Protein backbone atom coordinates (compact mmCIF):
# COMPACT_ATOMS: atom_id res chain seq x y z
CA UNK A 1 0.00 0.00 0.00
CA UNK A 2 1.47 3.33 -1.10
CA UNK A 3 0.86 6.17 1.35
CA UNK A 4 0.48 9.43 -0.57
CA UNK A 5 -1.62 11.47 1.81
CA UNK A 6 -1.68 11.44 5.59
CA UNK A 7 -3.90 13.09 8.16
CA UNK A 8 -2.41 14.32 11.43
CA UNK A 9 -4.70 14.81 14.42
CA UNK A 10 -3.21 17.26 16.92
CA UNK A 11 -1.12 20.21 15.72
CA UNK A 12 0.98 20.46 18.90
CA UNK A 13 4.72 19.85 19.09
CA UNK A 14 4.55 16.25 17.81
CA UNK A 15 1.73 16.69 15.28
CA UNK A 16 3.30 19.68 13.59
CA UNK A 17 6.65 17.87 13.54
CA UNK A 18 5.11 14.82 11.82
CA UNK A 19 3.35 17.07 9.28
CA UNK A 20 6.68 18.87 8.71
CA UNK A 21 8.75 15.76 7.90
CA UNK A 22 5.98 14.17 5.82
CA UNK A 23 5.55 17.28 3.65
CA UNK A 24 9.31 17.54 3.08
CA UNK A 25 9.28 13.88 1.99
CA UNK A 26 6.69 14.68 -0.71
CA UNK A 27 3.58 13.44 1.11
CA UNK A 28 0.39 15.50 1.22
CA UNK A 29 -0.79 16.33 4.74
CA UNK A 30 -4.10 17.38 6.31
CA UNK A 31 -3.52 18.84 9.77
CA UNK A 32 -6.42 18.73 12.22
CA UNK A 33 -6.86 20.11 15.76
CA UNK A 34 -9.72 21.23 17.98
CA UNK A 35 -9.69 24.82 16.72
CA UNK A 36 -8.59 26.89 13.72
CA UNK A 37 -6.26 28.81 16.06
CA UNK A 38 -4.40 25.63 17.08
CA UNK A 39 -4.06 24.62 13.42
CA UNK A 40 -2.76 28.10 12.54
CA UNK A 41 -0.27 27.98 15.36
CA UNK A 42 0.92 24.51 14.23
CA UNK A 43 1.35 25.80 10.66
CA UNK A 44 3.27 28.83 11.94
CA UNK A 45 5.63 26.56 13.91
CA UNK A 46 6.26 24.45 10.80
CA UNK A 47 7.00 27.58 8.80
CA UNK A 48 9.46 28.80 11.47
CA UNK A 49 11.17 25.41 11.81
CA UNK A 50 11.56 25.06 8.05
CA UNK A 51 13.07 28.57 7.89
CA UNK A 52 15.59 27.48 10.51
CA UNK A 53 16.45 24.41 8.41
CA UNK A 54 16.84 26.69 5.39
CA UNK A 55 19.21 29.02 7.25
CA UNK A 56 21.33 25.99 8.17
CA UNK A 57 21.33 24.84 4.50
CA UNK A 58 19.58 21.59 5.44
CA UNK A 59 16.84 22.29 2.87
CA UNK A 60 16.48 24.67 -0.10
CA UNK A 61 13.96 27.48 -0.51
CA UNK A 62 12.28 25.36 -3.20
CA UNK A 63 11.97 22.41 -0.76
CA UNK A 64 10.41 24.73 1.81
CA UNK A 65 7.93 26.30 -0.62
CA UNK A 66 6.84 22.93 -2.02
CA UNK A 67 6.51 21.35 1.42
CA UNK A 68 4.41 24.22 2.78
CA UNK A 69 2.04 23.88 -0.17
CA UNK A 70 1.57 20.19 0.63
CA UNK A 71 0.13 20.91 4.10
CA UNK A 72 -3.49 21.99 4.43
CA UNK A 73 -5.39 22.83 7.58
CA UNK A 74 -8.29 20.43 8.28
CA UNK A 75 -10.71 22.13 10.68
CA UNK A 76 -13.18 19.20 10.53
CA UNK A 77 -12.48 15.46 10.91
CA UNK A 78 -14.47 15.01 7.67
CA UNK A 79 -11.55 16.71 5.92
CA UNK A 80 -9.47 13.56 6.60
CA UNK A 81 -11.72 11.33 4.43
CA UNK A 82 -9.25 10.90 1.56
CA UNK A 83 -6.18 10.08 3.66
CA UNK A 84 -4.33 6.76 3.22
CA UNK A 85 -3.13 6.92 6.82
CA UNK A 86 -4.21 9.07 9.76
CA UNK A 87 -1.93 9.47 12.75
CA UNK A 88 -3.32 10.68 16.06
CA UNK A 89 -0.89 12.94 17.97
CA UNK A 90 -3.28 14.54 20.45
CA UNK A 91 -2.89 14.91 24.21
CA UNK A 92 -1.59 11.82 26.07
CA UNK A 93 -4.94 10.89 27.60
CA UNK A 94 -6.72 7.63 26.79
CA UNK A 95 -10.24 9.09 26.86
CA UNK A 96 -9.26 11.92 24.52
CA UNK A 97 -7.72 9.45 22.08
CA UNK A 98 -10.71 7.06 22.19
CA UNK A 99 -13.12 9.95 21.46
CA UNK A 100 -10.99 10.97 18.50
CA UNK A 101 -11.03 7.42 17.10
CA UNK A 102 -14.81 7.26 17.49
CA UNK A 103 -15.23 10.45 15.47
CA UNK A 104 -12.65 9.69 12.78
CA UNK A 105 -13.33 5.99 12.03
CA UNK A 106 -16.69 6.53 10.27
CA UNK A 107 -15.03 9.14 8.03
CA UNK A 108 -12.08 7.01 6.86
CA UNK A 109 -11.93 4.63 3.91
CA UNK A 110 -12.15 1.00 5.14
CA UNK A 111 -8.60 0.34 3.93
CA UNK A 112 -7.08 3.45 5.55
CA UNK A 113 -4.55 2.87 8.32
CA UNK A 114 -5.12 4.49 11.70
CA UNK A 115 -1.97 5.10 13.76
CA UNK A 116 -1.25 6.61 17.15
CA UNK A 117 1.82 8.49 18.32
CA UNK A 118 1.08 7.63 21.98
CA UNK A 119 4.15 7.58 24.24
CA UNK A 120 2.88 4.84 26.48
CA UNK A 121 -0.73 3.67 26.13
CA UNK A 122 -1.50 0.07 25.05
CA UNK A 123 -1.85 -0.14 21.26
CA UNK A 124 -4.02 -3.25 21.60
CA UNK A 125 -6.43 -1.48 23.97
CA UNK A 126 -6.64 1.64 21.77
CA UNK A 127 -7.10 -0.55 18.66
CA UNK A 128 -10.00 -2.38 20.28
CA UNK A 129 -11.98 0.88 20.49
CA UNK A 130 -11.80 1.32 16.70
CA UNK A 131 -13.52 -0.41 13.77
CA UNK A 132 -10.11 -1.53 12.39
CA UNK A 133 -7.78 -3.26 14.90
CA UNK A 134 -6.08 -5.00 11.92
CA UNK A 135 -5.28 -1.64 10.37
CA UNK A 136 -4.23 0.04 13.61
CA UNK A 137 -0.61 0.55 14.71
CA UNK A 138 1.66 2.57 17.02
CA UNK A 139 4.07 4.86 15.15
CA UNK A 140 6.00 6.58 17.91
CA UNK A 141 8.05 9.54 16.70
CA UNK A 142 10.58 11.26 18.95
CA UNK A 143 10.68 14.95 19.82
CA UNK A 144 11.62 17.12 17.92
CA UNK A 145 10.44 15.08 14.94
CA UNK A 146 12.48 16.87 12.24
CA UNK A 147 15.69 16.28 14.23
CA UNK A 148 15.34 12.89 15.90
CA UNK A 149 16.25 9.84 13.88
CA UNK A 150 14.24 7.14 15.66
CA UNK A 151 10.69 5.87 15.27
CA UNK A 152 9.36 3.00 17.39
CA UNK A 153 6.87 0.78 15.56
CA UNK A 154 4.46 -1.12 17.81
CA UNK A 155 1.94 -3.71 16.65
CA UNK A 156 -1.23 -4.33 18.57
CA UNK A 157 -2.25 -7.96 18.96
CA UNK A 158 -4.43 -7.75 15.81
CA UNK A 159 -2.21 -5.56 13.59
CA UNK A 160 -1.88 -7.13 10.13
CA UNK A 161 1.46 -7.52 8.35
CA UNK A 162 0.28 -5.23 5.54
CA UNK A 163 -0.35 -2.43 8.04
CA UNK A 164 3.06 -2.97 9.60
CA UNK A 165 4.87 -3.01 6.23
CA UNK A 166 3.08 0.10 4.92
CA UNK A 167 3.98 1.93 8.15
CA UNK A 168 7.56 0.77 7.96
CA UNK A 169 7.79 1.98 4.33
CA UNK A 170 6.34 5.36 5.35
CA UNK A 171 8.92 5.80 8.15
CA UNK A 172 11.74 4.87 5.77
CA UNK A 173 10.45 7.43 3.26
CA UNK A 174 10.57 10.03 6.06
CA UNK A 175 14.26 9.17 6.56
CA UNK A 176 13.74 7.57 9.98
CA UNK A 177 15.37 4.53 11.55
CA UNK A 178 12.96 2.00 13.04
CA UNK A 179 13.11 0.12 16.32
CA UNK A 180 10.36 -2.48 16.69
CA UNK A 181 8.89 -2.61 20.20
CA UNK A 182 6.38 -5.01 21.72
CA UNK A 183 3.14 -3.63 23.10
CA UNK A 184 4.10 -3.17 26.77
CA UNK A 185 3.56 0.04 28.76
CA UNK A 186 5.74 2.89 27.37
CA UNK A 187 7.46 0.56 24.84
CA UNK A 188 11.29 0.82 24.81
CA UNK A 189 12.50 4.43 24.88
CA UNK A 190 10.10 5.76 27.51
CA UNK A 191 10.24 2.59 29.63
CA UNK A 192 13.90 3.42 30.17
CA UNK A 193 13.95 7.23 29.84
CA UNK A 194 10.96 8.29 31.96
CA UNK A 195 11.92 6.42 35.15
CA UNK A 196 15.32 8.16 34.86
CA UNK A 197 13.60 11.56 34.55
CA UNK A 198 11.23 10.68 37.43
CA UNK A 199 14.26 9.75 39.56
CA UNK A 200 15.87 13.11 38.71
CA UNK A 201 12.68 14.81 39.97
CA UNK A 202 12.84 12.75 43.21
CA UNK A 203 16.48 13.86 43.53
CA UNK A 204 15.28 17.47 43.40
CA UNK A 205 12.28 16.74 45.70
CA UNK A 206 14.50 15.16 48.35
CA UNK A 207 16.98 18.05 48.18
CA UNK A 208 19.89 15.94 46.96
CA UNK A 209 20.72 18.62 44.41
CA UNK A 210 19.42 21.83 42.84
CA UNK A 211 17.91 21.95 39.32
CA UNK A 212 21.23 23.23 37.98
CA UNK A 213 23.31 20.67 39.92
CA UNK A 214 21.18 17.73 38.73
CA UNK A 215 21.26 18.79 35.07
CA UNK A 216 24.98 19.64 35.15
CA UNK A 217 25.74 16.33 36.87
CA UNK A 218 24.00 14.29 34.19
CA UNK A 219 25.34 16.35 31.28
CA UNK A 220 28.96 16.28 32.38
CA UNK A 221 28.97 13.15 34.52
CA UNK A 222 26.95 10.83 32.26
CA UNK A 223 27.62 12.66 28.98
CA UNK A 224 23.91 13.25 28.30
CA UNK A 225 23.35 16.00 25.70
CA UNK A 226 20.88 17.73 28.04
CA UNK A 227 20.01 17.36 31.73
CA UNK A 228 16.96 15.24 32.73
CA UNK A 229 15.01 18.22 34.11
CA UNK A 230 15.65 20.27 30.98
CA UNK A 231 14.56 17.23 28.95
CA UNK A 232 11.39 16.85 31.05
CA UNK A 233 10.48 20.49 30.27
CA UNK A 234 11.13 19.79 26.63
CA UNK A 235 8.89 16.68 26.56
CA UNK A 236 6.12 18.41 28.55
CA UNK A 237 5.53 17.63 32.24
CA UNK A 238 1.92 16.55 31.56
CA UNK A 239 3.20 13.97 29.08
CA UNK A 240 5.92 12.83 31.54
CA UNK A 241 3.29 12.37 34.28
CA UNK A 242 0.93 10.45 31.98
CA UNK A 243 3.72 8.08 30.95
CA UNK A 244 4.68 7.44 34.60
CA UNK A 245 1.02 6.77 35.47
CA UNK A 246 0.75 4.26 32.61
CA UNK A 247 3.94 2.52 33.80
CA UNK A 248 2.80 2.54 37.44
CA UNK A 249 -0.66 1.17 36.68
CA UNK A 250 0.33 -1.05 33.77
CA UNK A 251 3.22 -2.82 35.49
CA UNK A 252 1.83 -2.59 39.05
CA UNK A 253 5.26 -1.91 40.49
CA UNK A 254 5.92 0.85 43.07
CA UNK A 255 9.24 1.69 41.46
CA UNK A 256 7.29 3.63 38.82
CA UNK A 257 5.44 5.86 41.36
CA UNK A 258 5.27 9.38 39.85
CA UNK A 259 7.20 11.88 42.00
CA UNK A 260 4.75 14.10 43.97
CA UNK A 261 6.69 17.16 42.79
CA UNK A 262 5.94 16.24 39.16
CA UNK A 263 2.25 15.91 40.07
CA UNK A 264 2.33 19.32 41.77
CA UNK A 265 3.94 21.06 38.79
CA UNK A 266 1.33 19.62 36.43
CA UNK A 267 -1.46 20.67 38.81
CA UNK A 268 0.01 24.19 38.79
CA UNK A 269 -0.08 24.23 34.99
CA UNK A 270 3.73 24.33 34.91
CA UNK A 271 4.07 22.03 31.92
CA UNK A 272 7.58 22.97 30.76
CA UNK A 273 8.52 24.89 27.64
CA UNK A 274 5.04 24.81 26.12
CA UNK A 275 3.59 26.77 29.07
CA UNK A 276 6.76 28.87 29.58
CA UNK A 277 7.42 27.37 33.01
CA UNK A 278 8.46 23.99 34.37
CA UNK A 279 11.71 23.15 36.11
CA UNK A 280 12.98 26.25 34.30
CA UNK A 281 11.27 29.59 33.72
CA UNK A 282 11.38 30.49 30.00
CA UNK A 283 9.76 33.90 30.19
CA UNK A 284 12.99 35.90 30.38
CA UNK A 285 15.85 36.19 27.94
CA UNK A 286 17.30 32.85 28.94
CA UNK A 287 15.88 29.95 31.00
CA UNK A 288 16.49 30.14 34.76
CA UNK A 289 15.62 27.44 37.33
CA UNK A 290 12.14 27.97 38.76
CA UNK A 291 13.31 27.13 42.30
N1 LIG B 1 6.32 15.55 23.78
C1 LIG B 1 7.08 14.52 23.46
O1 LIG B 1 8.29 14.52 23.69
C2 LIG B 1 6.45 13.33 22.80
C3 LIG B 1 7.28 12.41 22.15
C4 LIG B 1 6.69 11.30 21.49
C5 LIG B 1 5.31 11.14 21.54
N2 LIG B 1 4.53 12.07 22.19
C6 LIG B 1 3.08 11.85 22.18
O2 LIG B 1 2.51 12.64 21.16
C7 LIG B 1 1.19 13.05 21.55
C8 LIG B 1 1.10 14.57 21.49
O3 LIG B 1 2.06 15.13 22.36
P1 LIG B 1 2.55 16.64 22.19
O4 LIG B 1 3.82 16.75 22.95
O5 LIG B 1 2.51 17.04 20.74
O6 LIG B 1 1.39 17.42 22.97
P2 LIG B 1 0.90 18.93 22.78
O7 LIG B 1 0.24 19.31 24.05
O8 LIG B 1 2.02 19.80 22.24
O9 LIG B 1 -0.19 18.84 21.58
C9 LIG B 1 -1.37 18.11 21.70
C10 LIG B 1 -2.37 18.70 20.69
O10 LIG B 1 -3.51 17.84 20.65
C11 LIG B 1 -4.63 18.67 20.47
N3 LIG B 1 -5.86 17.97 20.84
C12 LIG B 1 -6.33 17.67 22.09
N4 LIG B 1 -7.53 17.07 22.00
C13 LIG B 1 -7.81 16.96 20.68
C14 LIG B 1 -8.93 16.47 19.94
N5 LIG B 1 -9.98 15.93 20.56
N6 LIG B 1 -8.90 16.55 18.59
C15 LIG B 1 -7.85 17.10 17.94
N7 LIG B 1 -6.76 17.60 18.59
C16 LIG B 1 -6.75 17.55 19.93
C17 LIG B 1 -4.35 19.87 21.36
O11 LIG B 1 -5.17 20.99 21.01
C18 LIG B 1 -2.86 20.10 21.09
O12 LIG B 1 -2.66 21.01 20.00
C19 LIG B 1 0.95 12.44 22.93
O13 LIG B 1 0.31 11.21 22.80
C20 LIG B 1 2.37 12.27 23.46
O14 LIG B 1 2.46 11.27 24.43
C21 LIG B 1 5.08 13.15 22.80
Amino acid sequence: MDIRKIGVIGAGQMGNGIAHVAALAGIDVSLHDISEDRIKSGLATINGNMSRQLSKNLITEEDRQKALLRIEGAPKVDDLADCDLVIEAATENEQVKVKIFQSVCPVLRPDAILATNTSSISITRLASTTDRPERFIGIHFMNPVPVMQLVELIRGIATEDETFEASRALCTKLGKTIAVAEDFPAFIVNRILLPMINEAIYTLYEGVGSVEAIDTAMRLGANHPMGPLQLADFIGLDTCLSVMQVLYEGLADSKYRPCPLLVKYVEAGWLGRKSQRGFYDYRGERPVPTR
Side-chain angles (χ1 to χ4, degrees), residues 188-253:
I188 298 172
V189 173
N190 287 333
R191 168 82 177 260
I192 299 169
L193 184 64
L194 265 297
M196 192 271 292
I197 289 175
N198 195 46
E199 200 59 31
I201 304 170
Y202 269 114
T203 310
L204 178 68
Y205 180 60
E206 290 169 11
V208 183
S210 65
V211 169
E212 265 169 339
I214 293 164
D215 276 353
T216 304
M218 293 306 284
R219 271 193 298 109
L220 304 184
N223 214 14
H224 287 192
M226 66 171 81
L229 300 174
Q230 190 190 355
L231 179 57
D233 275 359
F234 199 55
I235 294 170
L237 302 190
D238 51 341
T239 301
C240 291
L241 177 59
S242 297
V243 174
M244 288 312 299
Q245 281 163 338
V246 168
L247 281 168
Y248 186 51
E249 285 155 23
L251 298 167
D253 188 330

Side-chain angles (χ1 to χ4, degrees), residues 2-284:
D2 193 17
I3 292 167
R4 297 206 176 141
K5 177 165 189 182
I6 68 165
V8 179
I9 300 181
Q13 48 185 353
M14 294 308 292
N16 72 54
I18 296 166
H20 175 137
V21 294
L24 276 178
I27 295 167
D28 291 327
V29 181
S30 289
L31 184 60
H32 172 73
D33 204 304
I34 43 174
S35 69
E36 297 252 14
D37 279 356
R38 297 254 167 131
I39 297 172
K40 266 196 202 143
S41 139
L43 292 171
T45 303
I46 295 170
N47 202 344
N49 289 343
M50 284 192 189
S51 298
R52 193 168 327 130
Q53 285 180 309
L54 180 64
S55 68
K56 290 183 179 166
N57 291 325
L58 297 171
I59 59 170
T60 65
E61 176 57 21
E62 194 191 350
D63 294 335
R64 189 179 83 97
Q65 294 286 351
K66 281 190 175 164
L68 289 175
L69 286 175
R70 284 191 196 105
I71 310 174
E72 59 178 20
K76 299 190 297 284
V77 273
D78 292 4
D79 301 328
L80 305 176
D82 60 345
C83 292
D84 302 309
L85 177 147
V86 168
I87 179 159
E88 168 281 311
T91 313
E92 186 72 349
N93 174 303
E94 194 159 340
Q95 274 105 41
V96 170
K97 291 182 188 296
V98 169
K99 266 202 181 150
I100 289 173
F101 299 144
Q102 280 163 356
S103 69
V104 77
C105 280
V107 170
L108 297 180
R109 289 199 318 259
D111 66 329
I113 294 174
L114 186 54
T116 175
N117 187 49
T118 178
S119 301
S120 59
I121 302 168
S122 162
I123 304 302
T124 299
R125 202 163 65 234
L126 289 176
S128 74
T129 68
T130 74
D131 61 353
R132 62 193 71 213
E134 301 78 16
R135 302 194 74 70
F136 191 94
I137 189 161
I139 306 182
H140 182 214
F141 289 87
M142 306 292 134
N143 183 23
V145 184
V147 176
M148 298 295 279
Q149 187 73 43
L150 187 79
V151 173
E152 283 180 302
L153 273 188
I154 310 109
R155 295 170 198 257
I157 200 165
T159 307
E160 277 175 354
D161 286 348
E162 195 193 357
T163 306
F164 183 84
E165 290 309 330
S167 306
R168 186 210 291 269
L170 172 68
C171 295
T172 305
K173 193 167 176 184
L174 302 187
K176 301 299 182 194
T177 300
I178 291 156
V180 177
E182 290 302 320
D183 188 16
F184 279 89
F187 322 124
I188 298 172
V189 173
N190 287 333
R191 168 82 177 260
I192 299 169
L193 184 64
L194 265 297
M196 192 271 292
I197 289 175
N198 195 46
E199 200 59 31
I201 304 170
Y202 269 114
T203 310
L204 178 68
Y205 180 60
E206 290 169 11
V208 183
S210 65
V211 169
E212 265 169 339
I214 293 164
D215 276 353
T216 304
M218 293 306 284
R219 271 193 298 109
L220 304 184
N223 214 14
H224 287 192
M226 66 171 81
L229 300 174
Q230 190 190 355
L231 179 57
D233 275 359
F234 199 55
I235 294 170
L237 302 190
D238 51 341
T239 301
C240 291
L241 177 59
S242 297
V243 174
M244 288 312 299
Q245 281 163 338
V246 168
L247 281 168
Y248 186 51
E249 285 155 23
L251 298 167
D253 188 330
S254 63
K255 76 177 176 181
Y256 298 111
R257 187 171 75 100
C259 179
L261 191 61
L262 173 61
V263 177
K264 190 175 273 188
Y265 274 37
V266 173
E267 284 172 352
W270 294 7
L271 307 181
R273 290 191 82 105
K274 63 182 164 188
S275 67
Q276 299 280 294
R277 204 176 348 184
F279 292 106
Y280 293 86
D281 189 330
Y282 299 91
R283 291 170 300 172

